[in-house]
Amino acid sequence: MKTTFRQIFRQANFVIGFSIITLILLVITIYPLFNPGSPLQMIGQGTFFKPGTYVNIYDSLDTSKVYTLRLDDAAANRIGKKLLPADRETMRAWLIAFGLPEESVQIEYTDDLLQLWWNSYDENVRPQGMTSAARKAAARVDAKLAGLYNMESLTITQPDETTGEPAQKMTVSETDYVNVSDIANVRVLPLGTDNFGRDTLKELLAATATSLKIGLLAGCIATLVGLALGLFAGYVGGIVDDIIMFFANLFTVIPGFVLLILISYSIGQESRGATTVAVVIGFTSWVWTTRSVRAQVLSLRNRDHVNLSKLSGHSLIRILVTDILPYIASYVVMALILQICSGILSEAQLSMLGLGPKTTEVPTLGLMMFWGMQYTAHLNGAWWAYFPVIVMIALISFSLNLMNTGLDQVFNPQLRS
Amino acid sequence: MKGYSRYFAKKFMWFFITLVFAIILNFVLPRLMPGDPVQAITGKIAAGINNQTAVQKIYREFAEKFGTDQPMWKQFLLYLRNLIKGDLGVSFQQYPRPVSDIIKSAALWTIGLQLPAIIVGWLIGNLLGALAAYIRKGFDKILVPISLFLGGLPAFGMAVTLLVLFGITWKILPTSGGYSFDMVPALTGQFIASVIEHYWLPFFSIVLISIGGQAIGMRSMSIYELNADYVKYSRFLGVKDRKIVGYVFRNAMLPQVTGLALSIGTMIGGALVAETIFSYPGLGSTVLKAITGQDYPLISAVTLIITIMVLVASFAIEIIVGIIDPRIKAAQAE
């Protein structure tokens, strides 16, 4: 036993897969400790806030300490943020028509572009080959630039308590800065918010935990049922074998996916929690475990030690557990890993079709994907609402498969190079 | 040979019993779903009619027409009688369109999408797997993780990623449907071009995933065979390397052929996700729509087709494997 474990943990594939899954488990247990609260709390008023640091404006005005920094590129940065790509294209078109060499006009660098613009632009010049519409567009951009460049101090007012008249409270000039650490409320949303305004990262980690639980439950049920049926079918044989294989065939013939859909519809919307879905997945995916366990048992049932056990009058259960099970144990472990993996995938696919757990209490990876698609995150460029989910599912299934390949190489020495 | 044919006779009997039970389940399961589809149709048709007795009359007429007012076993007998005549009934949802008509148009799309995708993925995957087993070293080290990653990706993950990259970010390919929405199916060059354009994304989302799975399977089988005693013995005898490789891959192909037949048999269920994401007008989206709309005749018909396809595929596997692999033939004849 000890040597086997040592061998397994020397297997590169297994170790990599195991490390990834351990890392995922660590993150999903530790992260909630640092960031407590319900993962389903709707913090954002609106859909799909992009990832980033959210600084409270009210608090940043309210900080006692205001710093003055004189930075050369501040104005250019400010304009650069507001100058849309379309505006830059208009500027470029005008500058090139004006006669500047094409390679000298680069719209990515706001500073250089503005310099060129202010040096060359003149309302009254009519560059050759420019339509009047394009000229007017250029004039509009120029006006906009002038507006943007006008950086007077902002005045913050507050209604006076007695008269209600707005009274000046403070002024903010363009060189005023605050230190982020002085601000009371700063919230980092590394993956933004989803369509309900929930913190996506927090939800993703909670969903991963639920999905792993669903996969584990479904995988255990499928493996246990598959193992028990496979052992009996293979060892007892005869009519028992025929009947079990008949059910296995029936489950193959009526595709698991359709069965899953029909069952999850039949049990109704309300009772379809995460656990129910896991159980349904488990009870519809035992077939191939049964088939392969049966095939293995068939090759074992006529071994000498099994016959000896039979002659000694040992009970059926004892023969199965002590004489046959140890020979297929490694195989069963590998089957379990694959079943866990396919359980997670099944839940995600069911949810994608709108047939997953109907619950608002726990998030699952499939449900996150489902809502992201329902709110067309993929068409709105809100990659953070669905892509991390795909990556997470891919990582889990990749690491489990990798572990499985590693185990395969340990238990089937022929596969080693 | 007598034992061999008796084996097939026994197999055939079990297949037949499975088919009978599958037909019963296919009939009963959808009808166990809660809700009353006839009410839904009546509601659609009787919208705007205020007269309650008239609405009730419409409801009764439809219930009679579809036979939902009769006990389940009577409905089943009626269903069987029609089935033997080749009549699959009339769709509830798209009344009065016959089910066979809906299936005929959808099946063409599914088969056209899935069959080439499965075969291409299978061929490329097996080739890569066999090469990895034969070359080993660097190629193997790169191929295995990539294949594991591809094979483990959820189908919708691949589909959505391709859709976003090619359809939205780079705008190279259309994102949904089987053909451009402003066209009417016809055998014109323009229509065919549109169909081909809409074909690539769903096609590759299926091919890439199946390459991963097939390559891993083929690699393991090939390595297993390359280490077998007969290979070593042939080497000692001085048999040419190319000839040995031929033997090895013939043996390693066996389980892969089984896999190919099974994935062709189960292709409708497998198409579900890709078809939904790309709104492809195939059987997968049809059955999903039928389930949400409780369209019993349509659900039963599609599941029946799936059942028959899987049964035929499994039976074909038994026969094909028996033919290619003499060892199994010998074992069965015992």
Side-chain angles (χ1 to χ4, degrees), chain A residues 156-169:
Chain A
I156 310 283
T157 61
Q158 196 175 30
D160 191 274
E161 265 174 42
T162 46
T163 60
E165 294 271 309
Q168 180 172 335
K169 195 181 172 217

Side-chain angles (χ1 to χ4, degrees), chain A residues 339-412:
Chain A
Q339 288 281 18
I340 292 174
C341 187
S342 75
I344 295 173
L345 286 182
S346 292
E347 184 275 325
Q349 302 213 321
L350 265 187
S351 301
M352 270 301 289
L353 301 173
L355 300 163
K358 269 278 149 25
T359 165
T360 44
E361 282 130 46
V362 284
T364 71
L365 290 175
L367 283 176
M368 282 185 76
M369 196 72 202
F370 172 70
W371 286 115
M373 293 292 113
Q374 286 291 303
Y375 280 74
T376 58
H378 57 305
L379 303 178
N380 298 330
W383 57 267
W384 56 90
Y386 63 90
F387 199 67
V389 183
I390 297 177
V391 171
M392 186 56 93
I393 296 178
L395 264 185
I396 293 175
S397 100
F398 177 62
S399 59
L400 289 177
N401 276 314
L402 212 55
M403 278 167 73
N404 210 52
T405 322
L407 288 178
D408 208 15
Q409 295 198 347
V410 172
F411 294 122
N412 293 331

Side-chain angles (χ1 to χ4, degrees), chain B residues 57-100:
Chain B
K57 194 155 176 259
I58 293 173
Y59 179 85
R60 257 206 311 279
E61 246 168 48
F62 270 111
E64 216 168 299
K65 195 172 177 70
F66 293 129
T68 48
D69 55 342
Q70 288 174 22
M72 189 89 93
W73 63 271
K74 262 192 186 164
Q75 287 184 49
F76 183 63
L77 287 183
L78 193 72
Y79 171 75
L80 271 189
R81 201 182 310 148
N82 286 334
L83 197 62
I84 292 168
K85 277 190 277 180
D87 178 9
L88 291 167
V90 176
S91 161
F92 284 6
Q93 232 177 355
Q94 305 177 34
Y95 182 81
R97 210 173 156 202
V99 168
S100 48

Side-chain angles (χ1 to χ4, degrees), chain B residues 107-152:
Chain B
L108 200 66
W109 289 101
T110 295
I111 294 171
L113 171 66
Q114 292 271 317
L115 202 61
I118 290 173
I119 292 175
V120 168
W122 186 82
L123 283 177
I124 299 178
N126 280 313
L127 196 68
L128 288 177
L131 278 179
Y134 188 64
I135 303 175
R136 303 304 293 263
K137 301 205 186 74
F139 186 61
D140 197 33
K141 284 244 156 54
I142 301 168
L143 185 86
V144 170
I146 293 180
S147 305
L148 275 178
F149 187 77
L150 283 180

Side-chain angles (χ1 to χ4, degrees), chain B residues 17-300:
Chain B
I17 297 175
T18 317
L19 179 65
V20 170
F21 271 81
I23 290 176
I24 295 174
L25 280 179
N26 282 340
F27 179 83
V28 175
L29 274 179
R31 284 163 179 79
L32 290 181
M33 297 198 302
D36 185 358
V38 177
Q39 191 135 39
I41 305 176
T42 315
K44 218 169 9 178
I45 286 172
I49 299 178
N50 287 324
N51 188 342
Q52 271 308 311
T53 36
V55 173
Q56 256 187 6
K57 194 155 176 259
I58 293 173
Y59 179 85
R60 257 206 311 279
E61 246 168 48
F62 270 111
E64 216 168 299
K65 195 172 177 70
F66 293 129
T68 48
D69 55 342
Q70 288 174 22
M72 189 89 93
W73 63 271
K74 262 192 186 164
Q75 287 184 49
F76 183 63
L77 287 183
L78 193 72
Y79 171 75
L80 271 189
R81 201 182 310 148
N82 286 334
L83 197 62
I84 292 168
K85 277 190 277 180
D87 178 9
L88 291 167
V90 176
S91 161
F92 284 6
Q93 232 177 355
Q94 305 177 34
Y95 182 81
R97 210 173 156 202
V99 168
S100 48
D101 185 37
I102 300 175
I103 286 180
K104 227 180 276 166
S105 65
L108 200 66
W109 289 101
T110 295
I111 294 171
L113 171 66
Q114 292 271 317
L115 202 61
I118 290 173
I119 292 175
V120 168
W122 186 82
L123 283 177
I124 299 178
N126 280 313
L127 196 68
L128 288 177
L131 278 179
Y134 188 64
I135 303 175
R136 303 304 293 263
K137 301 205 186 74
F139 186 61
D140 197 33
K141 284 244 156 54
I142 301 168
L143 185 86
V144 170
I146 293 180
S147 305
L148 275 178
F149 187 77
L150 283 180
L153 264 181
F156 61 82
M158 180 64 86
V160 171
T161 312
L162 288 183
L163 187 148
V164 169
L165 283 184
F166 291 94
I168 294 168
T169 314
W170 296 325
K171 293 195 173 57
I172 310 173
L173 293 165
T175 53
S176 75
Y179 49 88
S180 186
F181 60 88
D182 55 356
M183 283 187 185
V184 180
L187 266 180
T188 58
Q190 215 181 0
F191 179 73
I192 292 171
S194 168
V195 167
I196 292 175
E197 210 184 14
H198 284 76
Y199 188 73
W200 295 122
L201 284 183
F203 176 76
F204 276 109
S205 75
I206 299 168
V207 167
L208 284 176
I209 288 182
S210 67
I211 285 180
Q214 295 292 344
I216 291 290
M218 184 62 183
R219 176 186 166 271
S220 305
M221 281 315 298
S222 304
I223 293 177
Y224 200 79
E225 289 290 334
L226 277 170
N227 288 329
D229 288 340
Y230 72 88
V231 174
K232 286 173 191 151
Y233 185 62
S234 314
R235 287 231 165 96
F236 281 132
L237 286 182
V239 179
K240 272 190 196 129
D241 211 37
R242 185 177 288 173
K243 195 150 199 178
I244 299 178
V245 169
Y247 285 133
V248 165
F249 290 132
R250 193 178 149 193
N251 280 340
M253 283 308 278
L254 274 175
Q256 301 301 101
V257 172
T258 318
L260 177 68
L262 254 189
S263 55
I264 290 176
T266 54
M267 74 177 159
I268 298 174
L272 219 56
V273 173
E275 284 187 7
T276 333
I277 288 182
F278 293 109
S279 322
Y280 213 70
L283 278 177
S285 5
T286 305
V287 75
L288 198 70
K289 252 185 265 161
I291 288 172
T292 41
Q294 294 203 324
D295 195 340
Y296 299 157
L298 192 51
I299 303 174
S300 294

